[in-house]
Amino acid sequence: MSVAINIKNLSRHFEVHDKKPGLKSSLKSIWNRPKRIVKAVDDISFQIKTGELVGFIGPNGAGKTTTLKCLSGLLYPTKGEVEVLGFTPWHRKRDFLKQIGFIMGQKGQLWWDIPPQETFLLNQAIYEIPDKEYKERIRFFRSALNIKKEISIQTRKLSLGQRMKCELVAALIHQPKVIFLDEPTTGLDVIMQDKVRDFIRDYNREFKATIILTSHYMKDVQALCRRLIVIDKGKIHFDDLLSKLKNGPGSQKTLTLTFKDEVSKKDLKGLGKIIKYEDLRVTLSVKRKNASRVASQALEKFPVTDLNIEDIPIEETIKKLFQGQ
Ligand SMILES: Nc1ncnc2c1ncn2[C@@H]1O[C@H](COP(=O)(O)OP(=O)(O)OP(=O)(O)O)[C@@H](O)[C@H]1O
Ligand SMILES: [Mg+2]
């Protein structure tokens, strides 16, 4: 399979000026402005194959949006090489721009004072989409996203979910081959999140589009992505199959045991790490591969009335990754 996105040693630094509050420091800062370099993206490399849908996650300020801006040509990098569909993004060649789409959940491209369909028409002209195709695509989006009257209502009057659906249309009307989705589900209710997720999945499959998705909801990533890239403080901390995070050698399960009579902490020693210890109930963390053995040992040794084995939520594993563990 061909490579759609190739990033080599990409860095993007920002120079920021620190200023203390108050008039005195404002005056002082005219002559003396202390500078600081923020390494928003710090020497990252990865490749994404054509048609892949990759999750790109990290805490606030990790460098996700900055990376996507470099990939879409909105920012020059400080260092490094980037190729998207064979183009250097910041040259902003017309043929390149026609093949990419960028959706920023926080900052849309729809014009506020006109209905979405007017923005769609504007994009039709910009991307030179023939009338017949344009109409077909609008029909496709209306049914795929269940859009009704909202496209003819002034954008500023739409709800967040209605606007998000129209943002997707505006950004995808030219059928881009590479799509950058920056938090497309933020602020949406659970039903709308599901709909947007389904739409992204179908779009990826139907058009073989290459997609990078950032989100703060692990559910988005779990539902859509096989591969996950985790970034923090501008550095990549994980880049592999999501299943490896869940089932890797260090992965754990929780074992919750409910007892008829109290069992002391001392007696439980050796079974696993005690996470929670209540009157008649205890939760242990055990290695995935040992879970069933530990469960049968517990059943044999103690007056167990209930037993529950669960995967550690993926959020916990991710949290550890963010903390560099
Ligand atoms: N134009 C800019 N000038 C100065 N600093 C910037 C600029 N843009 C981003 N930064 C800084 O770069 C770092 C990375 O920001 P970025 O927006 O890429 O994070 P993010 O991973 O998208 O976070 P979030 O999840 O909050 O959207 C932050 O420390 C941010 O303050
Ligand atoms: Mg961001």
Side-chain angles (χ1 to χ4, degrees):
M1 214 189 266
S2 61
V3 172
I5 298 173
N6 193 1
I7 305 181
K8 258 196 227 158
N9 307 107
L10 175 71
S11 292
R12 179 56 161 117
H13 301 169
F14 293 105
E15 199 176 271
V16 289
H17 298 277
D18 290 321
K19 190 188 92 52
K20 292 193 182 102
L23 182 64
K24 209 170 138 193
S25 93
S26 292
L27 289 171
K28 221 169 128 188
S29 73
I30 295 173
W31 295 282
N32 179 16
R33 300 180 72 194
K35 279 188 280 186
R36 187 165 53 86
I37 301 287
V38 175
K39 292 183 177 176
V41 175
D42 191 12
D43 195 17
I44 65 168
S45 303
F46 59 81
Q47 288 191 338
I48 295 181
K49 291 193 193 107
T50 305
E52 255 193 297
L53 201 176
V54 178
F56 189 44
I57 66 160
N60 290 127
K64 303 179 295 292
T65 302
T66 306
T67 305
L68 296 188
K69 282 182 176 171
C70 290
L71 293 182
S72 59
L74 290 174
L75 278 178
Y76 282 97
T78 308
K79 255 190 267 166
E81 289 165 39
V82 176
E83 246 187 24
V84 177
L85 299 172
F87 292 89
T88 303
W90 46 94
H91 293 165
R92 308 233 356 124
K93 289 263 166 63
R94 203 174 157 66
D95 278 347
F96 167 70
L97 297 175
K98 275 180 130 174
Q99 298 186 72
I100 63 153
F102 196 173
I103 296 161
M104 294 198 216
Q106 314 280 13
K107 208 163 115 193
Q109 63 154 294
L110 293 171
W111 292 69
W112 278 83
D113 294 317
I114 55 176
Q117 63 187 1
E118 306 281 328
T119 305
F120 304 161
L121 283 168
L122 199 70
N123 286 3
Q124 183 199 0
I126 291 171
Y127 293 111
E128 299 165 324
I129 307 165
D131 272 345
K132 192 168 160 268
E133 273 175 48
Y134 173 78
K135 281 185 188 141
E136 270 167 24
R137 288 181 198 174
I138 290 287
R139 220 175 294 132
F140 163 79
F141 284 119
R142 290 190 81 139
S143 106
L145 285 162
N146 191 20
I147 296 176
K148 295 190 184 91
K149 291 197 191 99
E150 46 266 55
I151 62 169
S152 49
I153 297 169
Q154 203 185 20
T155 299
R156 65 167 70 250
K157 292 182 183 152
L158 297 178
S159 78
L160 179 64
Q162 291 169 330
R163 186 158 58 76
M164 197 57 228
K165 292 201 276 187
C166 295
E167 286 291 351
L168 286 165
V169 182
L172 303 178
I173 191 80
H174 57 297
Q175 236 165 58
K177 288 192 183 140
V178 171
I179 306 168
F180 307 110
L181 290 172
D182 197 3
E183 297 185 40
T185 53
T186 295
L188 303 184
D189 69 48
V190 280
I191 294 168
M192 194 58 82
Q193 280 180 28
D194 266 349
K195 280 195 186 139
V196 170
R197 248 175 239 141
D198 288 345
F199 174 76
I200 295 169
R201 185 189 300 109
D202 294 347
Y203 192 93
N204 166 252
R205 283 189 191 151
E206 180 145 352
F207 299 104
K208 310 271 178 295
T210 308
I211 302 179
I212 301 188
L213 166 79
T214 89
S215 176
H216 287 289
Y217 303 122
M218 267 320 288
K219 216 175 155 205
D220 283 349
V221 176
Q222 280 181 289
L224 295 173
C225 311
R226 275 186 76 226
R227 174 176 164 200
L228 180 70
I229 300 178
V230 178
I231 184 171
D232 190 14
K233 302 191 183 74
K235 296 256 188 219
I236 304 280
H237 287 245
F238 178 88
D239 177 3
D240 212 326
L241 298 178
L242 183 63
S243 56
K244 291 220 175 142
L245 255 197
K246 286 202 292 197
N247 310 324
S251 67
Q252 306 270 318
K253 280 189 173 254
T254 61
L255 184 71
T256 303
L257 301 159
T258 309
F259 305 118
K260 198 153 129 285
D261 310 304
E262 200 174 324
V263 176
S264 75
K265 276 189 182 176
K266 201 168 137 237
D267 289 340
L268 291 164
K269 228 174 147 191
L271 278 188
K273 188 175 161 210
I274 299 174
I275 305 178
K276 210 169 175 190
Y277 183 85
E278 294 157 313
D279 279 353
L280 293 172
R281 189 201 297 238
V282 65
T283 306
L284 304 163
S285 159
V286 293
K287 283 219 170 99
R288 169 180 284 268
K289 64 176 185 346
N290 298 340
S292 48
R293 182 173 49 81
V294 172
S296 52
Q297 269 177 10
L299 285 171
E300 243 171 58
K301 266 172 104 175
F302 307 113
V304 177
T305 56
D306 194 16
L307 180 147
N308 195 10
I309 304 177
E310 279 179 334
D311 280 326
I312 294 226
I314 191 92
E315 280 84 354
E316 287 300 314
T317 318
I318 298 283
K319 217 166 26 179
K320 282 189 186 158
L321 269 180
F322 287 178
Q323 290 158 354
Q325 293 175 23

